[in-house]
Amino acid sequence: MRTTSEPTSIVTLQQHIIEQQREHPTATGEFSWLLSGITLATEIIQAQVRRAGLLSAAVLGETGTRNVQGEMVQKLDVIANKTICSCLGYRNVGIMVSEEDDEPTIVKEGTRTRKYIVLFDPLDGSSNIDVNVSIGTIFSILQRRDDVKDDDVMAHILQPGCQQLAAGYVVYGSSTVLAYTTGEGVHMFTLDPSIGAYVLSRENVRMPHTGKEYSVNEAYRDTFPDAIQRYLQWVKTAEAGKYSMRYIGSFVADFHRTLLRGGVFLYPPTKSAPGGKLRLMYEANPMAFLAEQAGGAATDGKQRILDKAPKALHERTPLVIGSKAEVDRVLSFWQG
Ligand code: AHM
Ligand code: MG
């Protein structure tokens, strides 16, 4: 017979956020309201992603236009972008910045009542949509600065990642999983489709200190910096032990695996993308915040990702992220 001292409890994301806010007596509830807007948007997006195969003409494929990054825009990218904007527009968000849009969206200019800034990649890995591979949404939350004028929008947005109030992602995989941090650990929730709510599945996630999986697009190896090429030779040696290579090509999914199992993800500079491919503000910063909160690390090879001062909205960065010891190992080649 199984005995238990406590009843097994089900904790929803809403409850979890409210509990966390209770520990901050000055909290007004505004932040919880904002986070619930993001989770609502991801529930709507996941429903569209799940129906993609059924509604293929409406939601699958390319729109025929290119985004600010020059990439083909997928129909689901547009749907996801609009969904997040409409869910946040009703909340207390002042500025929305999407990887898909050239310019930020100012919800209500010149007011400090809408103090939050939300940056997001609405559908990361979208080139994988048509082949049923996991994709995801990434978000980062900042607050307007007190020390700059209301209308100096770029100064409010271009803050280093260490200023993030919260960050998270949702992976639309074999199940829909949301991970978030507000600087007090990383917490993970799984969407229960039968009740339509995110339910706590892992609290205070810790990334293993080491991990024998490296994740990189090795097809570009000859165009990586020499040091990274040497690291990629080293991982295959007897001295390194038995490493495996895992690369989905969907950053959210590759990061999710690295967070849970340990290892390292790399997107170094390449010949065609000398500044790296991934976006600092929509991809690297939020994942770096999560990685550090889980005990991992993130660097661009020269400095900590979270210390980088962004100069442009759609700035790209090289990225090495994952288990602390594995990131340090890459750096020992890169900086050594
Ligand atoms: P996206 O935001 O346009 O989908 O592009 C980012 C994606 C990441 O999800 C993934 O890590 C990377 O591009 C894969 O790039 P590559 O195909 O060069 O390996
Ligand atoms: Mg992306």
Side-chain angles (χ1 to χ4, degrees), residues 67 71 99-100 121 123-127 217 220 247 249-252 254 265 267 277-279 283:
N67 67 11
E71 298 150 347
E99 189 197 290
E100 291 299 326
D121 180 352
L123 214 49
D124 177 66
S126 54
S127 61
N217 190 338
Y220 307 144
Y247 190 71
S250 211
F251 181 45
V252 175
D254 279 315
F265 172 93
Y267 207 114
K277 177 184 180 188
L278 299 180
R279 269 64 64 152
E283 291 163 330

Side-chain angles (χ1 to χ4, degrees), residues 44-66:
I44 297 169
I45 295 167
Q46 75 85 32
Q48 295 285 350
V49 169
R50 305 279 174 228
R51 295 171 76 202
L54 295 170
L55 303 170
S56 50
V59 298
L60 281 185
E62 294 170 348
T63 56
T65 56
R66 289 182 186 273

